Amino acid sequence: MAEPGPAVRRKSRAGSARKRSRAPVPPSAVCSPVPRRRQSCGSEGAPPERACSNDSEEDMFGDYDSFFGNDSLLAEVDDMEHKCLQNKNMDIEAAGVTTLGNLQSEIHQEKQDSFSTSENMVVLKTDEEDAFQINENDPMDSNQALTETLLDDLPSSQLLYFEKMDELSRGPRISPVSERRNKCISSSSDEIRSLSSVCPDGEQKNRPTDISSDSKCGLFKAESLKDHLKSAMTGNAKAQFLQVSKTKQLKEAVLSEEICVARKTIESSSVDIGPFYGLPSKVKDLLRQFRGIETLYEWQHDCLMLESLQQRKNLIYSLPTSGGKTLVAEIIILQELLCRQKDVLMILPYVAIVQEKVRGLSSFGIELGFLIEEYAGSKGRFPPIKRRLKKSLYIATIEKGHALVNSLIETERIDDLGLVVVDELHMLGEGSRGATLEITLAKILYTSKNTQVIGMSATLNNVGELQKFLRAEYYTNNFRPVELKEYIKIRDTIYAVDNKAEKGFTFSRLLNFKYSSNLEKADPDHIIALVTEVIPKYSCLIFCPTKKNCENVASMVCKYLKTEFKALRQKEKQDLIKNLKSIGNGSVCPVLKQTIPFGVAYHHSGLTNDERKSIEEAYSTGVLCLLACTATLAAGVNLPARRVILRAPYVANDFLKKNQYKQMIGRAGRAGIDNAGESILIVQEKDKHLVQDLVNSPLENCYSNLLLELTKGMQSLLLSLVGLKIAVTHEEVNNFMCSTLLGVQQQLLSKEKSLSDIIKDGLENLIEKGLLKGRIFEKDHNSKCTLTITPLGKATYKGSIDLAYCNLLYRELKKGLAGLILESNLHLLYLATPYDMTSSCNPDWMIYLRQFNQLSAAEQKVADIVGVPESFITKKASGQAIRKNVDSAVVNRLYLTFVLYTLLKETNIWSVSEKFNMSRGYVQNLLNSAASFASCVLHFCEELEEFWVYKALLTELTKQLTYCVKTELIPLMEVAGVLEARAKQLYNAGYKTLAHLANADPEILVKMIEHLSRRQAKQIVSSAKMLLSEKAEALQEEVEELLRVPTDIPAMPNCVP
């Protein structure tokens, strides 16, 4: 493909131009030219030494003394000067203007520099004898060329002067006709006097003198051209040179120049690009260094060159999975950060992907000078710190991105956000998270006219409606770096998916694998035959409907694999088992212990974060060649494979959707490794017709979820609209809602209720809950009554609390004020236990009673305060009948609180999961949810003065829940990608602080830390440097804020006499 080279294409200015051998120096202050030494005339030796301030004028010329001593040349110059002054005296009263003013405007041009005059033309040339010729009586007002040597030998001070004069040269000029009318005009010596009077450092700006018709000729006095040449050259020789490395100067000048050129390119609507799509060439070097990317795909180039992007229009683009969509987004992000100097928000679907992206981009941030801030789980500041020097890239989950946008709107800083990038845009149609994403984008589009929105996805169908919602252009391409071949397996026959065929697929081949009767019973779906065709040479993924099925498939495959599989990378597999054992404090999953020696493992939400990360790294490096996984892997981290097998066309008990199918099979084929990718869907005879419809059907449409998720959707949106003062009347709310995806899809609403009626009902419901104040009138009354938000309403939307629980949370916090038990953090933990996990909790009553009996008397009182008496737990454990009604949600919530309480004391997920008979993945998820909810409750309390006592308590509790480790490990775990097991390794190796990590040598880390690859070591160091830089910048901002002199200091009143 044709890729732009490193050269920068610039628009030619009006007028003539000529080529320059040296790099052009832009006039911007940011890109100030680097002083260059002049080379002596006719010599290639060393440049003359820098002139000292006490030298005489004659001594400062260096090799130019030979020019001054050339009497014949100077005499010729003098003689030609007099001829010029005397010529044409019979036609006009003064000599024609000799113009050198155009010279400075031609520094960057690729054609000839010219000097225009009305009657006469003076041309300066340098030939081999260093002589000047003055040509006169030119019959035409044409442009004459100045040779290369004259300009190339100009010192930096003159270059800077010409750059400064560049802007002035573009102003109105006197026409030749006007010049003829002037009775008194400037001579060539006047022009040179102006040139020589410029300060060498370029600070003094000389403007052309206006020529009026009544100027007096008596003011004109010709001086010797020889004197002016000497004077100008003396000034040049006095130019100061910086006492810094010339190489460093040149590198900084090139980078600074490219950023300036890129900024001008991006700000204009031109399709001209800079060295690398409007970015410094260093970006291309970094992509090669960190990603191994030499060139872009053709579609990536075409997409980046779209006219809509050049004009900063919103854009949706869609390509198959693994097509390289993310790289395009990252280049656009860098353009915004470096060229337009605006902050950027990148919204990703899951916490793990946010952390992966923070790690991956930290190196770019360090090299290019921007900050990366993580907004996931309990991390993130609201509002973010306002940076004066560096710009920030906020990488956020959907929920945290929404809270961030709310804080920017509230502080009137939404215009600081130049770009919002949304990955997996199809999630707009997925439940409460889709509703939150829709609310976020609608607010951005409504409140900021300068923020660009970029959305990308592999699975979009109703693009027209999404375009209308986002007011966006659309780009699509079917490119995949590796060809994907889709197959269906029914019994022992494999069919190729063919949309042109009548049934949707055609016969391909029969499985060639000899099955014994025992194996046929154990593996009726022939999974062994399918995987052994590719492993261990290539990698394979098996998507299973349930978590339990993942573990069963992994165990079954290993039972019938040949023992030769164990010999491959045996030491690395043993190291992986040791690593998992250390993560579990001596415990390791028996299934993994059985399967890993064969290069096989399972991957689902039942694993802890540390376990998942270790298995993903082992698979990426080839230690593991087969993963049995759930559908969540398809939308999570990028783990491609040569072959992808779908165990059944189901996710849990639900039949597979086309979007899910495309996401799963999109993992097949690894760019740069495989020349093809394969997907095989295993189908039972009973599902054959459903699968035919699946492979031939279009992708599902993306529909608004604002109404389906009422408390997290519509009501949440209405509350924040009034709270942020985006819309405070029924009419304004109606106008806003028409700009949402729901507004675009109004035709899908039932005929019984219009969108306006739904809005009216929602506002009335919020007023009834005490979250809003005001009145909603009927249609025939005034609809402009202003709505206001109550303190409870403000606390609810700022804390991102589900409206279904906000009143309950308020009552429980209020009750806690009357008797908060602070002997331990049990009572506080109960208030921070998430409501939405109680429905999935099924307490073991014997464990419940045992944990209750282990509490102190004061802690047992907490159970009674929240509404779970000891008698209730005892009767449940003994199986007795319960007469007194007890709220099951409260009972379940207290049980989860016991889990968290034990976890904070023991800080070991394995032991806690065994103690409560729960999967360790469930305990991990509970911990993550509790940390996030504690952060929300903290923000809720910050808005209500009566809850001031909770602020300090919840701040510390949030930190404990976020990391759940010993205090000394917390600084290390703040670094993106460093989990507990790795933090322990680093701490034991002597890396005990963030500064230790930020200044670590990756090569030494690899040698000192077990199971740490060089790539991981570099990412950890880069992430630590980025976090340290971000913290230092925040402190510096605070210092500057403290030291800033207020602008409103009272002044002494004027005394009236």
Side-chain angles (χ1 to χ4, degrees):
M1 55 160 267
E3 185 192 357
V8 181
R9 289 190 279 140
R10 300 175 174 80
K11 288 185 176 180
S12 299
R13 294 177 185 156
S16 60
R18 70 178 192 75
K19 295 182 179 178
R20 293 293 311 276
S21 60
R22 74 177 78 219
V25 186
S28 167
V30 180
C31 310
S32 57
V34 179
R36 296 178 174 86
R37 296 180 185 272
R38 292 176 293 172
Q39 298 293 327
S40 57
C41 296
S43 172
E44 294 182 2
E49 293 183 0
R50 180 174 57 87
C52 298
S53 58
N54 60 347
D55 283 348
S56 66
E57 291 183 358
E58 287 77 12
D59 291 336
M60 287 190 292
F61 284 105
D63 287 348
Y64 282 106
D65 285 349
S66 61
F67 170 79
F68 181 71
N70 191 339
D71 292 335
S72 61
L73 172 61
L74 294 178
E76 183 179 352
V77 169
D78 218 6
D79 183 55
M80 296 302 291
E81 178 189 14
H82 287 299
K83 287 183 180 181
C84 177
L85 294 174
Q86 295 170 3
N87 191 39
K88 296 201 173 190
N89 283 335
M90 297 180 62
D91 297 328
I92 55 175
E93 295 182 10
V97 176
T98 303
T99 305
L100 292 177
N102 287 344
L103 179 58
Q104 73 279 15
S105 67
E106 310 302 327
I107 292 299
H108 297 309
Q109 309 302 316
E110 296 178 355
K111 296 182 181 179
Q112 296 178 337
D113 286 324
S114 62
F115 305 84
S116 300
T117 64
S118 59
E119 297 289 341
N120 299 344
M121 190 59 164
V122 179
V123 179
L124 303 181
K125 288 187 177 180
T126 303
D127 58 15
E128 293 178 356
E129 291 78 29
D130 292 338
F132 283 86
Q133 281 187 334
I134 302 179
N135 295 341
E136 59 184 44
N137 299 328
D138 195 325
M140 298 185 297
D141 289 337
S142 60
N143 293 334
Q144 300 294 327
L146 189 67
T147 60
E148 290 283 331
T149 310
L150 179 60
L151 285 181
D152 285 343
D153 283 342
L154 283 175
S156 60
S157 59
Q158 291 299 91
L159 290 173
L160 186 56
Y161 164 71
F162 290 141
E163 295 293 343
K164 294 286 186 182
M165 291 296 290
D166 186 35
E167 299 171 4
L168 301 175
S169 69
R170 300 177 189 175
R173 299 187 181 181
I174 301 172
S175 66
V177 176
S178 300
E179 290 185 34
R180 292 189 187 100
R181 293 196 185 111
N182 292 334
K183 293 188 177 182
C184 201
I185 57 176
S186 300
S187 70
S188 60
S189 40
D190 280 324
E191 294 290 335
I192 298 175
R193 185 191 301 114
S194 173
L195 189 65
S196 64
S197 66
V198 178
C199 294
D201 61 2
E203 292 179 359
Q204 177 183 346
K205 294 183 180 180
N206 289 5
R207 299 180 180 275
T209 305
D210 292 338
I211 305 176
S212 57
S213 59
D214 57 350
S215 299
K216 295 185 178 179
C217 296
L219 298 176
F220 170 79
K221 181 178 180 181
E223 292 183 17
S224 169
L225 176 62
K226 173 174 62 178
D227 293 335
H228 287 298
L229 288 172
K230 176 184 174 183
S231 177
M233 293 165 69
T234 300
N236 295 340
K238 290 180 180 179
Q240 296 298 312
F241 291 94
L242 299 176
Q243 297 299 313
V244 294
S245 164
K246 198 72 172 177
T247 303
K248 184 178 180 182
Q249 274 187 333
L250 292 173
K251 285 183 177 178
E252 290 178 351
V254 169
L255 180 61
S256 184
E257 173 195 354
E258 291 178 350
I259 289 177
C260 287
V261 172
R263 184 178 296 144
K264 291 176 182 175
T265 302
I266 297 300
E267 286 173 353
S268 69
S269 60
S270 169
V271 295
D272 286 354
I273 59 174
F276 184 71
Y277 301 100
L279 288 166
S281 54
K282 186 176 182 179
V283 174
K284 188 174 183 179
D285 297 336
L286 293 176
L287 285 173
R288 183 184 301 112
Q289 179 183 346
F290 297 139
R291 305 276 182 82
I293 297 174
E294 295 287 344
T295 57
L296 269 63
Y297 297 129
E298 186 175 352
W299 84 262
Q300 291 172 327
H301 170 76
D302 294 342
C303 187
L304 287 167
M305 296 304 298
L306 288 174
E307 190 71 22
S308 55
L309 278 184
Q310 306 298 319
Q311 296 173 3
R312 299 204 74 242
K313 292 181 180 178
N314 297 342
L315 177 70
I316 299 170
Y317 63 101
S318 177
L319 282 96
T321 303
S322 303
K325 298 184 293 297
T326 305
L327 179 59
V328 170
E330 289 173 350
I331 291 174
I332 297 171
I333 286 170
L334 292 177
Q335 289 173 347
E336 196 70 29
L337 291 165
L338 301 180
C339 302
R340 298 191 187 94
Q341 291 290 300
K342 289 280 190 178
D343 296 328
V344 177
L345 169 61
M346 187 176 197
I347 298 177
L348 302 171
Y350 303 111
V351 174
I353 304 178
V354 168
Q355 293 172 342
E356 184 183 41
K357 188 58 65 178
V358 169
R359 292 196 303 271
L361 290 178
S362 289
S363 302
F364 289 86
I366 292 164
E367 294 291 336
L368 299 171
F370 63 86
L371 299 173
I372 296 176
E373 299 184 44
E374 180 183 341
Y375 281 77
S378 61
K379 294 183 179 179
R381 295 187 185 94
F382 302 103
I385 294 175
K386 186 175 177 65
R387 315 283 183 181
R388 291 179 181 82
L389 300 177
K390 294 184 178 180
K391 296 303 170 185
S392 292
L393 168 58
Y394 310 115
I395 304 180
T397 56
I398 293 171
E399 294 77 13
K400 286 293 182 178
H402 179 220
L404 176 64
V405 168
N406 280 348
S407 69
L408 291 174
I409 293 173
E410 185 179 28
T411 54
E412 298 182 348
R413 288 168 50 194
I414 191 64
D415 283 331
D416 291 347
L417 205 59
L419 173 68
V420 175
V421 174
V422 181
D423 195 8
E424 310 296 353
L425 186 63
H426 61 270
M427 290 198 73
L428 277 168
E430 295 186 12
S432 62
R433 307 195 77 213
T436 304
L437 181 57
E438 180 182 346
I439 291 169
T440 305
L441 293 174
K443 286 176 180 175
I444 292 168
L445 293 166
Y446 194 83
T447 58
S448 176
K449 305 302 179 189
N450 302 317
T451 304
Q452 185 182 19
V453 176
I454 306 288
M456 52 181 169
S457 174
T459 53
L460 289 177
N461 190 29
N462 56 329
V463 177
E465 291 177 334
L466 297 178
Q467 278 185 267
K468 191 174 180 181
F469 165 47
L470 296 177
R471 306 165 209 162
E473 303 288 319
Y474 180 58
Y475 176 86
T476 187
N477 196 302
N478 290 323
F479 171 82
R480 278 190 111 257
V482 177
E483 182 187 3
L484 173 62
K485 299 175 181 177
E486 298 178 46
Y487 298 99
I488 304 291
K489 188 192 85 69
I490 303 175
R491 294 193 183 92
D492 60 349
T493 306
I494 293 180
Y495 301 90
V497 173
D498 184 359
N499 294 328
K500 297 177 182 178
E502 183 180 351
K503 294 183 179 180
F505 36 81
T506 56
F507 174 80
S508 175
R509 64 187 175 94
L510 290 173
L511 274 178
N512 183 21
F513 190 88
K514 294 181 180 180
Y515 269 79
S516 64
S517 58
N518 289 335
L519 183 56
E520 188 74 39
K521 291 177 183 178
D523 182 24
D525 294 324
H526 308 105
I527 292 174
I528 300 287
L530 293 174
V531 299
T532 51
E533 288 179 347
V534 289
I535 66 169
K537 185 178 181 180
Y538 301 105
S539 58
C540 182
L541 293 175
I542 305 176
F543 284 102
C544 304
T546 65
K547 289 183 284 188
K548 188 63 179 173
N549 193 227
C550 291
E551 298 178 26
N552 292 340
V553 166
S555 295
M556 183 271 296
V557 168
C558 292
K559 188 179 290 186
Y560 294 98
L561 284 179
K562 296 179 181 178
T563 54
E564 287 84 355
F565 280 84
K566 285 187 174 184
L568 299 169
R569 304 183 74 161
Q570 190 172 4
K571 183 182 181 304
E572 290 157 287
K573 292 172 184 174
Q574 291 302 318
D575 288 342
L576 175 59
I577 293 175
K578 287 179 184 177
N579 188 32
L580 292 172
K581 198 170 185 178
S582 67
I583 289 171
N585 280 358
S587 301
V588 63
C589 172
V591 176
L592 292 175
K593 193 173 182 179
Q594 173 205 349
T595 62
I596 287 175
F598 290 91
V600 179
Y602 66 85
H603 184 290
H604 57 60
S605 60
L607 297 169
T608 65
N609 291 341
D610 284 300
E611 287 174 321
R612 266 202 303 270
K613 196 165 188 298
S614 296
I615 288 171
E616 288 166 3
E617 289 171 356
Y619 178 81
S620 297
T621 55
V623 176
L624 299 176
C625 58
L626 174 64
L627 286 185
C629 53
T630 54
T632 52
L633 183 70
V637 291
N638 186 24
L639 295 176
R642 172 65 174 264
R643 176 175 288 180
V644 169
I645 300 170
L646 280 67
R647 172 74 176 74
Y650 290 91
V651 174
N653 296 320
D654 300 323
F655 193 78
L656 201 62
K657 296 178 181 177
K658 184 62 175 276
N659 288 349
Q660 294 170 324
Y661 172 71
K662 283 292 186 182
Q663 288 279 355
M664 291 179 190
I665 68 171
R667 295 299 183 197
R670 298 172 297 173
I673 300 175
D674 300 324
N675 53 19
E678 300 173 337
S679 72
I680 301 176
L681 172 58
I682 299 174
V683 181
Q684 305 301 321
E685 196 68 43
K686 65 182 180 64
D687 295 323
K688 184 176 179 180
H689 295 293
L690 291 174
V691 170
Q692 284 179 342
D693 294 337
L694 173 70
V695 297
N696 292 311
S697 65
L699 294 165
E700 288 83 11
N701 287 337
C702 187
Y703 295 116
S704 172
N705 277 268
L706 287 181
L707 294 182
L708 297 176
E709 299 289 336
L710 197 58
T711 57
K712 290 185 179 180
M714 176 63 83
Q715 290 187 7
S716 175
L717 172 57
L718 296 176
L719 180 65
S720 61
L721 288 180
V722 177
L724 294 169
K725 299 179 181 177
I726 297 173
V728 294
T729 67
H730 191 183
E731 182 181 356
E732 290 175 351
V733 173
N734 278 338
N735 291 337
F736 178 92
M737 291 303 300
C738 289
S739 65
T740 63
L741 180 59
L742 177 63
V744 171
Q745 297 175 336
Q746 285 186 61
Q747 72 278 6
L748 301 177
L749 297 174
S750 62
K751 296 180 180 179
E752 290 79 18
K753 274 194 175 183
S754 66
L755 181 59
S756 181
D757 293 333
I758 293 170
I759 293 169
K760 177 176 171 293
D761 290 346
L763 291 172
E764 287 177 343
N765 186 274
L766 292 173
I767 293 171
E768 288 174 11
K769 286 183 177 180
L771 303 176
L772 291 181
K773 289 190 294 187
R775 295 181 62 189
I776 305 298
F777 296 99
E778 298 298 328
K779 292 182 180 178
D780 55 342
H781 289 76
N782 180 17
S783 64
K784 295 186 178 180
C785 177
T786 301
L787 297 164
T788 56
I789 195 165
T790 64
L792 177 59
K794 187 176 182 182
T796 300
Y797 91 78
K798 292 196 75 173
S800 302
I801 304 295
D802 189 338
L803 271 62
Y805 307 117
C806 61
N807 284 295
L808 176 59
L809 176 63
Y810 178 82
R811 289 195 300 270
E812 290 186 332
L813 289 169
K814 189 78 172 174
K815 188 177 179 181
L817 290 179
L820 188 65
I821 305 297
L822 293 177
E823 182 178 296
S824 70
N825 58 9
L826 180 65
H827 197 172
L828 201 62
L829 265 174
Y830 176 81
L831 296 173
T833 302
Y835 293 103
D836 55 3
M837 291 198 69
T838 57
S839 59
S840 61
C841 176
N842 295 304
D844 184 315
W845 295 108
M846 291 304 297
I847 295 174
Y848 209 145
L849 180 60
R850 185 164 59 246
Q851 291 298 316
F852 179 85
N853 290 332
Q854 292 175 4
L855 300 176
S856 66
E859 289 172 336
Q860 287 181 354
K861 192 178 176 182
V862 173
D864 196 49
I865 290 173
V866 301
V868 185
E870 181 181 2
S871 59
F872 173 83
I873 302 173
T874 304
K875 288 180 179 179
K876 274 287 190 181
S878 61
Q880 298 179 34
I882 307 294
R883 295 179 181 177
K884 185 179 178 181
N885 289 329
V886 178
D887 188 345
S888 62
V890 174
V891 174
N892 290 357
R893 193 170 181 225
L894 183 62
Y895 187 70
L896 294 177
T897 302
F898 284 171
V899 177
L900 292 169
Y901 182 62
T902 309
L903 193 55
L904 287 184
K905 285 198 298 183
E906 298 185 12
T907 67
N908 183 265
I909 291 175
W910 265 90
S911 63
V912 173
S913 64
E914 290 174 358
K915 190 171 288 186
F916 285 87
N917 195 25
M918 293 177 168
S919 76
R920 56 195 185 280
Y922 182 85
V923 176
Q924 176 81 73
N925 188 33
L926 172 63
L927 181 63
N928 295 340
S929 298
S932 183
F933 186 66
S935 175
C936 293
V937 176
L938 172 60
H939 293 304
F940 180 88
C941 292
E942 285 174 342
E943 297 302 318
L944 298 169
E945 289 184 13
E946 58 193 303
F947 294 148
W948 63 271
V949 71
Y950 288 114
K951 295 178 187 176
L953 296 171
L954 285 169
T955 300
E956 185 59 30
L957 182 66
T958 301
K959 196 171 185 179
Q960 291 178 24
L961 289 169
T962 299
Y963 301 109
C964 192
V965 292
K966 293 179 180 178
T967 308
E968 62 265 22
L969 296 180
I970 290 178
L972 300 177
M973 290 190 65
E974 289 179 338
V975 178
V978 176
L979 300 176
E980 182 181 6
R982 186 73 76 205
K984 287 179 180 177
Q985 286 181 310
L986 292 167
Y987 188 86
N988 293 333
Y991 298 93
K992 300 185 178 182
T993 66
L994 182 61
H996 282 144
L997 267 189
N999 294 283
D1001 184 342
E1003 297 299 326
I1004 296 176
L1005 275 180
V1006 170
K1007 294 176 182 177
M1008 295 184 68
I1009 307 298
E1010 289 185 344
H1011 322 302
L1012 183 68
S1013 68
R1014 186 169 281 100
R1015 181 183 63 85
Q1016 293 164 352
K1018 288 179 179 178
Q1019 283 189 339
I1020 287 174
V1021 172
S1022 295
S1023 298
K1025 285 181 178 178
M1026 175 55 65
L1027 183 58
L1028 193 65
S1029 173
E1030 191 268 326
K1031 288 189 172 187
E1033 288 282 339
L1035 291 173
Q1036 185 62 38
E1037 296 286 346
E1038 288 185 30
V1039 171
E1040 291 182 9
E1041 189 66 34
L1042 286 171
L1043 297 178
R1044 184 174 294 105
V1045 178
T1047 57
D1048 56 350
I1049 299 175
M1052 180 70 72
N1054 293 328
C1055 296
V1056 181

